[in-house]
Amino acid sequence: MARKTQILVIGHNDNGCTPEHEKTAYDTGAAIARSGAVLISGGLGGVMRASCRGAREAGGLTVGIIPQDAHSEANEFCDVVLPSGMGLTRDFLNALAADGIIIIGGGSGTLSEVCAAYMYRRPMVAVRGTGGVADRYGGTFVDYRENIMIGQADSPDEAVRSILEAIT
């Protein structure tokens, strides 16, 4: 049996996550589940919670890699919880666990995950119009190394299609 594709969804946590971000994340999670891929997230609130909820409600599998050391810290829509006990260092685990990454908005924590993914040349797609890191880095390279260009998509379905194409 072949390993399932693993897609990380990153973006605003509870601080800065608007109802529009939540809807985009929910729809992204649902699209990931419909594609047969596994949704990976940081396992907490905001975009992480909404994407897990969308995937779970669409019949998908969700994995939360949380910075804390207790399973109970994860959001209620994580099917599998990996408590790293690593704090922000877990951003590298998130990036390396993923075959591809979808970015919805995001602040400095999201940027940390983007940088880790960039250094390891993981394909990334930013959902346009969601602000933050997604709009700042979508369609560009993070730096002069030009490791991998961050793609852009106008909808959750397009983001999932694009990341799946980039992975294969």
Side-chain angles (χ1 to χ4, degrees):
M1 181 168 110
R3 181 179 67 80
K4 289 185 173 235
T5 299
Q6 299 173 182
I7 300 174
L8 174 67
V9 176
I10 60 176
H12 291 295
N13 62 18
D14 285 330
N15 298 323
C17 188
T18 67
E20 292 79 20
H21 293 125
E22 287 181 5
K23 171 136 180 42
T24 300
Y26 179 92
D27 292 346
T28 301
I32 290 169
R34 287 191 305 272
S35 79
V38 174
L39 181 134
I40 298 176
S41 82
L44 302 177
V47 163
M48 296 172 278
R49 182 180 184 276
S51 63
C52 286
R53 182 173 158 243
R56 161 90 65 83
E57 291 181 359
L61 178 65
T62 64
V63 176
I65 303 173
I66 62 172
Q68 297 90 343
D69 62 359
H71 291 85
S72 61
E73 299 290 332
N75 74 62
E76 69 273 33
F77 300 106
C78 290
D79 296 311
V80 177
V81 177
L82 302 172
S84 72
M86 298 174 69
L88 297 176
T89 306
R90 77 80 154 82
D91 292 351
F92 277 82
L93 287 176
N94 290 353
L96 290 172
D99 296 305
I101 294 98
I102 296 175
I103 310 161
I104 301 168
S108 61
T110 303
L111 182 57
S112 173
E113 289 168 307
V114 165
C115 290
Y118 183 79
M119 293 306 293
Y120 287 96
R121 292 178 169 83
R122 293 297 198 264
M124 292 180 270
V125 173
V127 180
R128 243 186 292 243
T130 57
V133 172
D135 284 348
R136 168 64 181 88
Y137 290 97
T140 66
F141 296 99
V142 172
D143 68 10
Y144 65 91
R145 288 170 252 232
E146 298 185 357
N147 286 347
I148 190 160
M149 181 176 282
I150 299 172
Q152 294 180 295
D154 291 317
S155 71
D157 286 329
E158 182 184 347
V160 172
R161 277 193 308 274
S162 294
I163 203 65
L164 287 171
E165 287 172 8
I167 291 168
T168 56

